[in-house]
Amino acid sequence: MMAAKTNPGRFFEDYAVGDVLKHAVPRTVSGGERALYHALYPARHALYSSDAFAQDCGLPKSPIDDLAAFHVIFGKTVPDVSLNAVANLGYAEGRWLLPVYEGDTLRSESEVIGLKQNSNGKTGVVYVRTRGLNQRDEVVMDYVRWVMVRKSNLDAPAPETVVPELKKALTPADLVIPEGLDFSNYDFTLAGEPHRWGDYAVGETIDHVDGVTIEEAEHMLATRLWQNTAKVHFDLTFRPEGRLIYGGHVISMARALSFNGLANAQMIVGLNGGAHANPCFAGQTVKAWSEVLDKAETAAPGVGAIRLRLVATKGGAPFELKGEDGKYKPEVLLDLDYWALMPM
Amino acid sequence: MMAAKTNPGRFFEDYAVGDVLKHAVPRTVSGGERALYHALYPARHALYSSDAFAQDCGLPKSPIDDLAAFHVIFGKTVPDVSLNAVANLGYAEGRWLLPVYEGDTLRSESEVIGLKQNSNGKTGVVYVRTRGLNQRDEVVMDYVRWVMVRKSNLDAPAPETVVPELKKALTPADLVIPEGLDFSNYDFTLAGEPHRWGDYAVGETIDHVDGVTIEEAEHMLATRLWQNTAKVHFDLTFRPEGRLIYGGHVISMARALSFNGLANAQMIVGLNGGAHANPCFAGQTVKAWSEVLDKAETAAPGVGAIRLRLVATKGGAPFELKGEDGKYKPEVLLDLDYWALMPM
Amino acid sequence: MMAAKTNPGRFFEDYAVGDVLKHAVPRTVSGGERALYHALYPARHALYSSDAFAQDCGLPKSPIDDLAAFHVIFGKTVPDVSLNAVANLGYAEGRWLLPVYEGDTLRSESEVIGLKQNSNGKTGVVYVRTRGLNQRDEVVMDYVRWVMVRKSNLDAPAPETVVPELKKALTPADLVIPEGLDFSNYDFTLAGEPHRWGDYAVGETIDHVDGVTIEEAEHMLATRLWQNTAKVHFDLTFRPEGRLIYGGHVISMARALSFNGLANAQMIVGLNGGAHANPCFAGQTVKAWSEVLDKAETAAPGVGAIRLRLVATKGGAPFELKGEDGKYKPEVLLDLDYWALMPM
């Protein structure tokens, strides 16, 4: 009887293309989440730090950090999508559609858009498109994620293979600029750096220099804050070899470190792709470097878009991503591809 | 002169039945406390996470977590009640009378309702009934707690023994349901589990499966947040063998872990009793199991009451509480008996 | 090209007397910062904990802790003032001019008021007067700080030496009392101690008894919360011998510990001076003692001013500051000289 009450998570055979999973535990965000975000990461982008700065950029006030919104939305999917996941394989087509403000309540739902059983018959890949919604049922962000999930019943028949066509990268036309955003009167001094959109060249690389050596308490505080319940992050009796750090913690750490050199890449609006190249553990020192992949103008006044590769490492030299074998170097933690908005 | 300025705490001979101790340092709570509660514990009960969910249940918005309110009220009593305590012996007759919302200011006062000097002449048991009040002088919760306190002056005469009659458990009629609470339109999907009041049987046990390995920084952050000043929790020169973790940290951790199986035991409204069976230290992994002790209907629409035993452990198998000697097993940290409200 | 994007910090030859540095990243504070402050430090001063208490003292509501406001303002100066600093030499003439409330947005600017190249030709002392401003461009605090900064170009000519005349201590007439502050109806019970201004004598010393053993995660959370980016606090690959704890963390810890004996020294309004006598590292246990240096009446009803020396230690006996050689004892971490407001 008791086994019926706790959540065993879903296995590969429990998904069908077209299923819509309504994820549990909506969350109202406040200044508390913002303060914690600033305590957990060296986050300094001015638009997410200051109401006055955000208002000077045409927003009603400072939103919750774009990645904090992502984590809140993502965390809710864990019990339904990745509790029995073997690996988090990728992200695509992530778009931030509306800023999230204090007092907003977020919930998430995911549609199964693809399934592919692996040839070993023991696992399969599940593709979901997740939407984060606010209390007015407006979609504040959506993204595609695919994970490898174990089968529980190895005798369950393989589903018809459906692999969704996903864009390698969002086009500039796919990006949604927050209503009212205007960088015409952008204050570069307050933002922290003088470099504008025109100062960055495609192919340019930036070593963000700073590093943070990660402590166990910090990544657990972060991961819980997003109500991510995967036990690999918390329970040393489950993983005596060390708690696995939530990949999103590395994303936020690297993004915050990228302030030094990209202080004006203010708002993330698109997530083209991302790979958690190697696991991260406490005691490792996370550093970051970026590469400018693309640039585009937008219709919003003074607002340019910049596509960036953000790489987090736990050692090694910057700008080294893959070995001769085409595989990520062992010191690479994260390879993220995103679009941000920057003053022109 | 200097000794006169710091607080030495009260000793057993400093208490008299009927004394009312007005505890210091009122506290205004905000979204900051709520965010920290979610960062410190894997708390996911939807009513305390989402304004929208709380409003759908008839409340004006999401309250501060019931146990967070308890900790704020409890913390204030430490300098007056337990600074010189040898042991925290028990709780009884705890009732949550009003939800606490952002912007509320809490203070505490305790009435001494019992005294019993121990036969060794060196210590005695002090019983207090503590009330937490808000800025409108409304009582938001009350509970009885008894502690063993040292005597400073061993020659002080023993007081007349007064042992209050305390209920073994609150009856359903003792429970106060928050005004307006209505679970008629309860959204089980958003809450995270389908199990309603009728799905739980008296005697049923639930292994909550998940665990958290505790870090020093986390329990200190929590304990300070509740302005609990007992130095055993903080000062390794005072306790070189290890900081003793505040018992309330274990309560909140176990309650949050119990979401997995009891996601719909939304609001704690009664504390029947509780024992901190063994001390808890950083590095230990806290897990939890529950047993259904009783059930009752209430007058509120769709709202049932469920009485639960919540046990926190640092190892061992679930559902093992005491040895053949009738004593708690060494791996049991907490044995808590409470009433919660659940959709019918 | 990439080197141009990250901030190398300023070197001694980059400063000129009269320069005004407008520091980056304004910050809106909320209840989140307050809750974190209470989680990071055992802060209990009632005026900063309770809206109701603050209102009874004539303020509109409870401000953000005075030292939290200081840290927010200070943190912004780090990238421009102390990224290449060898040592933080001193503070003077610090005044809290306006309380900071939830929703206020703080920014900082610093004027270079002194320069003195050292005889070794490799370093020099930079004196700045820093102002913290709110969203209405009101100055909420100002203070003078001087740091020893490296030269990058050793051939750069020495600037004309300008050493500002700084007051050894603010006079009572220099102190700014928050508008409306009134301690006539001060509630000593709620505040936590009965000792009023008249109960303290110049020369009196107070051992604050309590201690906190510092954890890595905690000081990093604090330092990041103030957006202080100095890598010595975070990166163990940069400082394998141990992360250096931000001096402000020690200030806040000592001030919070001083509640026990100085619970009524409610508001800090003046910073006369301060020395970080020795570096602090995780694992050390911070304790504190105070000495009453001066007392003064003020024009505000029921409000007295008290000048205090606050000393933080990592061991040793209280009340021992310097050795026979006139140097700080090795166990002294901090020697701070400040003015606070206290009920008469």
Side-chain angles (χ1 to χ4, degrees):
Chain A
M1 178 190 274
M2 60 192 165
K5 292 295 197 303
T6 50
N7 175 22
R10 283 166 177 259
F11 294 90
F12 181 68
E13 64 269 26
D14 299 327
Y15 296 92
V17 170
D19 279 357
V20 175
L21 312 174
K22 298 198 174 206
H23 307 300
V25 195
R27 167 75 162 274
T28 304
V29 295
S30 78
E33 276 77 7
R34 184 157 77 178
L36 268 163
Y37 197 82
H38 283 86
L40 290 162
Y41 307 107
R44 300 180 70 216
H45 287 91
L47 198 80
Y48 296 102
S49 178
S50 163
D51 283 349
F53 191 94
Q55 285 155 1
D56 288 343
C57 294
L59 300 184
K61 59 180 176 175
S62 177
I64 300 295
D65 196 282
D66 38 33
L67 288 176
F70 169 74
H71 295 314
V72 170
I73 292 162
F74 180 98
K76 300 183 192 324
T77 70
V78 169
D80 297 318
V81 175
S82 44
L83 214 60
N84 298 306
V86 183
N88 195 22
L89 297 174
Y91 306 99
E93 299 184 5
R95 296 182 309 162
W96 281 258
L97 302 169
L98 281 176
V100 175
Y101 295 103
E102 277 182 45
D104 280 354
T105 299
L106 299 180
R107 60 186 175 84
S108 304
E109 54 184 47
S110 297
E111 182 179 349
V112 180
I113 59 169
L115 287 173
K116 181 173 183 298
Q117 182 165 314
N118 287 327
S119 52
N120 63 15
K122 296 179 179 171
T123 56
V125 179
V126 180
Y127 296 79
V128 294
R129 186 180 301 273
T130 296
R131 293 177 192 84
L133 299 102
N134 67 17
Q135 70 278 16
R136 290 178 296 275
D137 290 327
E138 297 161 336
V139 180
V140 301
M141 94 165 287
D142 63 5
Y143 65 92
V144 174
R145 175 187 177 214
W146 56 107
V147 292
M148 192 186 303
V149 178
R150 280 187 287 125
K151 292 183 76 167
S152 175
N153 172 11
L154 298 188
D155 297 329
E160 185 188 358
T161 292
V162 177
V163 175
E165 277 189 53
L166 297 170
K167 296 181 183 182
K168 287 248 173 190
L170 296 170
T171 67
D174 292 324
L175 305 179
V176 175
I177 314 294
E179 193 180 328
L181 191 73
D182 181 344
F183 283 162
S184 308
N185 300 307
Y186 190 90
D187 189 327
F188 289 86
T189 302
L190 283 182
E193 290 183 349
H195 324 304
R196 53 181 74 226
W197 183 83
D199 296 330
Y200 291 86
V202 173
E204 179 177 356
T205 53
I206 302 156
D207 176 6
H208 300 300
V209 181
D210 302 313
V212 173
T213 311
I214 294 189
E215 291 286 323
E216 296 278 18
E218 294 183 336
H219 76 82
M220 288 202 291
L221 288 169
T223 308
R224 272 193 296 254
L225 183 59
W226 319 127
Q227 297 176 310
N228 178 332
T229 60
K231 63 174 65 172
V232 291
H233 307 316
F234 299 108
D235 182 348
L236 279 174
T237 63
F238 182 73
R239 268 189 66 90
E241 68 274 32
R243 298 176 186 98
L244 188 66
I245 292 178
Y246 163 48
H249 191 63
V250 177
I251 294 177
S252 277
M253 191 62 82
R255 159 70 174 165
L257 289 170
S258 79
F259 177 92
N260 197 353
L262 284 167
N264 296 318
Q266 284 288 350
M267 306 189 85
I268 299 184
V269 287
L271 177 63
N272 299 309
H276 297 291
N278 285 288
C280 182
F281 299 95
Q284 296 175 344
T285 299
V286 176
K287 297 190 177 187
W289 56 269
S290 293
E291 179 184 356
V292 180
L293 298 178
D294 199 358
K295 293 173 63 180
E297 300 189 9
T298 82
V303 179
I306 187 167
R307 183 178 160 204
L308 294 157
R309 174 196 298 277
L310 172 62
V311 176
T313 65
K314 57 175 180 175
F319 314 134
E320 303 205 352
L321 191 64
K322 294 182 178 177
E324 293 182 8
D325 57 2
K327 292 186 179 166
Y328 284 112
K329 296 214 156 200
E331 63 268 23
V332 171
L333 297 170
L334 171 76
D335 179 14
L336 199 77
D337 178 341
Y338 70 99
W339 281 102
L341 302 180
M342 191 175 247
M344 299 192 78
Chain B
M1 178 190 276
M2 60 193 165
K5 293 295 196 305
T6 50
N7 174 22
R10 284 165 177 260
F11 294 90
F12 181 68
E13 66 270 26
D14 299 327
Y15 296 92
V17 170
D19 279 356
V20 174
L21 313 175
K22 299 199 171 203
H23 306 301
V25 195
R27 168 75 162 273
T28 304
V29 295
S30 79
E33 277 76 8
R34 183 157 78 180
L36 268 163
Y37 197 82
H38 282 87
L40 290 162
Y41 308 107
R44 299 180 70 216
H45 288 92
L47 199 78
Y48 296 102
S49 177
S50 164
D51 283 349
F53 191 94
Q55 285 155 2
D56 288 343
C57 294
L59 299 185
K61 59 179 175 175
S62 178
I64 300 294
D65 196 282
D66 38 32
L67 288 175
F70 169 74
H71 295 313
V72 170
I73 292 161
F74 180 98
K76 300 183 192 324
T77 71
V78 169
D80 297 319
V81 175
S82 44
L83 214 59
N84 298 305
V86 183
N88 195 22
L89 298 174
Y91 306 98
E93 299 185 6
R95 296 182 308 162
W96 281 257
L97 303 168
L98 280 175
V100 176
Y101 295 103
E102 277 182 46
D104 280 355
T105 299
L106 299 179
R107 59 187 176 85
S108 304
E109 54 185 46
S110 297
E111 183 179 350
V112 180
I113 60 168
L115 287 172
K116 181 171 182 298
Q117 184 165 314
N118 288 328
S119 53
N120 63 15
K122 294 179 180 170
T123 56
V125 179
V126 180
Y127 296 80
V128 295
R129 186 180 300 275
T130 296
R131 292 177 193 83
L133 300 103
N134 66 18
Q135 70 278 16
R136 290 179 296 275
D137 290 327
E138 299 162 336
V139 180
V140 301
M141 93 164 287
D142 62 5
Y143 65 92
V144 174
R145 174 188 177 213
W146 56 106
V147 293
M148 191 185 303
V149 178
R150 280 187 286 126
K151 292 183 75 167
S152 174
N153 173 12
L154 297 188
D155 297 329
E160 186 189 357
T161 292
V162 178
V163 175
E165 277 190 54
L166 297 171
K167 297 181 183 181
K168 287 247 174 191
L170 296 171
T171 67
D174 293 325
L175 306 178
V176 175
I177 314 293
E179 194 181 325
L181 192 73
D182 181 343
F183 283 161
S184 309
N185 298 308
Y186 190 91
D187 188 327
F188 289 85
T189 302
L190 282 182
E193 289 183 350
H195 324 304
R196 53 181 73 228
W197 182 83
D199 296 330
Y200 291 86
V202 173
E204 179 178 354
T205 53
I206 302 156
D207 176 5
H208 299 301
V209 180
D210 301 314
V212 173
T213 310
I214 294 189
E215 291 286 323
E216 296 279 18
E218 294 183 336
H219 76 82
M220 290 202 291
L221 287 170
T223 307
R224 270 192 298 255
L225 183 60
W226 319 126
Q227 296 175 312
N228 178 332
T229 60
K231 64 174 65 171
V232 291
H233 307 316
F234 300 107
D235 182 347
L236 279 174
T237 64
F238 183 73
R239 271 189 63 92
E241 69 273 32
R243 298 177 186 97
L244 188 65
I245 292 177
Y246 163 49
H249 191 62
V250 178
I251 294 177
S252 278
M253 191 61 83
R255 159 70 173 163
L257 289 170
S258 79
F259 177 92
N260 197 353
L262 284 167
N264 296 319
Q266 284 287 350
M267 304 189 87
I268 299 184
V269 288
L271 178 62
N272 299 309
H276 297 290
N278 285 289
C280 181
F281 299 95
Q284 294 174 346
T285 299
V286 176
K287 298 191 178 188
W289 56 270
S290 293
E291 179 185 356
V292 180
L293 297 178
D294 200 358
K295 294 173 64 180
E297 300 189 9
T298 84
V303 179
I306 185 166
R307 185 179 159 204
L308 294 157
R309 175 196 297 276
L310 172 63
V311 176
T313 65
K314 58 174 179 176
F319 314 134
E320 304 205 353
L321 192 63
K322 294 180 178 176
E324 292 183 7
D325 58 1
K327 291 185 178 165
Y328 284 113
K329 297 216 156 198
E331 64 268 22
V332 171
L333 296 171
L334 171 77
D335 179 14
L336 199 78
D337 179 341
Y338 70 98
W339 280 102
L341 302 179
M342 191 176 247
M344 298 190 79
Chain C
M1 179 190 275
M2 59 194 168
K5 293 295 197 303
T6 51
N7 175 21
R10 283 166 177 260
F11 294 90
F12 181 69
E13 66 269 25
D14 299 326
Y15 296 92
V17 171
D19 280 357
V20 175
L21 313 174
K22 300 198 172 205
H23 307 300
V25 194
R27 168 74 163 272
T28 304
V29 295
S30 78
E33 277 77 8
R34 184 156 78 179
L36 268 164
Y37 198 82
H38 283 87
L40 290 163
Y41 308 107
R44 300 180 69 217
H45 288 91
L47 198 79
Y48 296 102
S49 177
S50 164
D51 283 348
F53 191 94
Q55 286 155 1
D56 288 344
C57 295
L59 299 184
K61 59 180 176 174
S62 178
I64 300 294
D65 196 281
D66 38 31
L67 287 176
F70 169 74
H71 295 313
V72 170
I73 292 162
F74 181 97
K76 299 183 193 323
T77 71
V78 169
D80 297 318
V81 175
S82 44
L83 213 60
N84 298 305
V86 183
N88 195 21
L89 297 174
Y91 306 98
E93 299 185 4
R95 297 182 308 164
W96 281 257
L97 302 168
L98 281 175
V100 176
Y101 295 104
E102 277 183 46
D104 280 354
T105 299
L106 299 180
R107 59 188 176 84
S108 303
E109 54 185 46
S110 297
E111 183 180 349
V112 180
I113 61 168
L115 287 172
K116 182 173 182 298
Q117 183 166 313
N118 288 327
S119 52
N120 63 16
K122 295 180 179 169
T123 57
V125 179
V126 180
Y127 295 80
V128 295
R129 187 180 300 274
T130 296
R131 293 177 192 84
L133 300 103
N134 67 18
Q135 69 278 17
R136 291 178 296 276
D137 290 327
E138 298 161 335
V139 181
V140 301
M141 95 165 286
D142 62 5
Y143 65 93
V144 173
R145 174 189 177 212
W146 56 107
V147 293
M148 192 186 301
V149 179
R150 280 187 287 125
K151 291 183 75 167
S152 174
N153 172 12
L154 298 188
D155 297 329
E160 186 188 358
T161 293
V162 177
V163 175
E165 276 189 54
L166 298 171
K167 297 180 183 182
K168 287 248 174 191
L170 296 169
T171 67
D174 293 325
L175 306 179
V176 174
I177 315 294
E179 194 180 326
L181 192 73
D182 181 344
F183 284 161
S184 308
N185 299 309
Y186 189 90
D187 188 326
F188 289 86
T189 302
L190 282 181
E193 290 183 350
H195 324 303
R196 56 180 72 228
W197 183 83
D199 297 330
Y200 291 85
V202 173
E204 178 178 354
T205 52
I206 302 156
D207 176 6
H208 300 300
V209 182
D210 302 313
V212 172
T213 310
I214 294 189
E215 291 286 323
E216 296 279 18
E218 293 183 337
H219 75 82
M220 289 202 291
L221 287 170
T223 307
R224 270 192 298 255
L225 183 60
W226 319 126
Q227 296 175 312
N228 178 332
T229 59
K231 64 174 66 171
V232 292
H233 307 315
F234 300 107
D235 182 349
L236 279 174
T237 63
F238 183 72
R239 269 188 65 91
E241 68 275 31
R243 298 177 186 98
L244 188 66
I245 291 178
Y246 164 49
H249 190 63
V250 177
I251 294 177
S252 277
M253 191 61 83
R255 158 69 174 165
L257 290 169
S258 79
F259 177 92
N260 197 353
L262 284 168
N264 297 318
Q266 284 288 350
M267 304 189 86
I268 299 184
V269 288
L271 177 64
N272 299 308
H276 298 290
N278 285 290
C280 182
F281 299 95
Q284 295 175 345
T285 299
V286 176
K287 299 191 177 188
W289 57 269
S290 294
E291 179 184 357
V292 180
L293 297 179
D294 200 357
K295 292 173 63 179
E297 300 189 8
T298 83
V303 179
I306 186 166
R307 184 180 159 202
L308 295 156
R309 175 196 297 277
L310 172 63
V311 176
T313 66
K314 58 175 180 176
F319 314 135
E320 303 205 352
L321 191 64
K322 294 181 178 177
E324 293 183 7
D325 57 2
K327 292 186 179 165
Y328 285 111
K329 297 215 156 199
E331 63 268 22
V332 171
L333 297 171
L334 171 77
D335 179 14
L336 199 77
D337 179 340
Y338 71 98
W339 280 102
L341 302 180
M342 190 175 248
M344 298 191 80

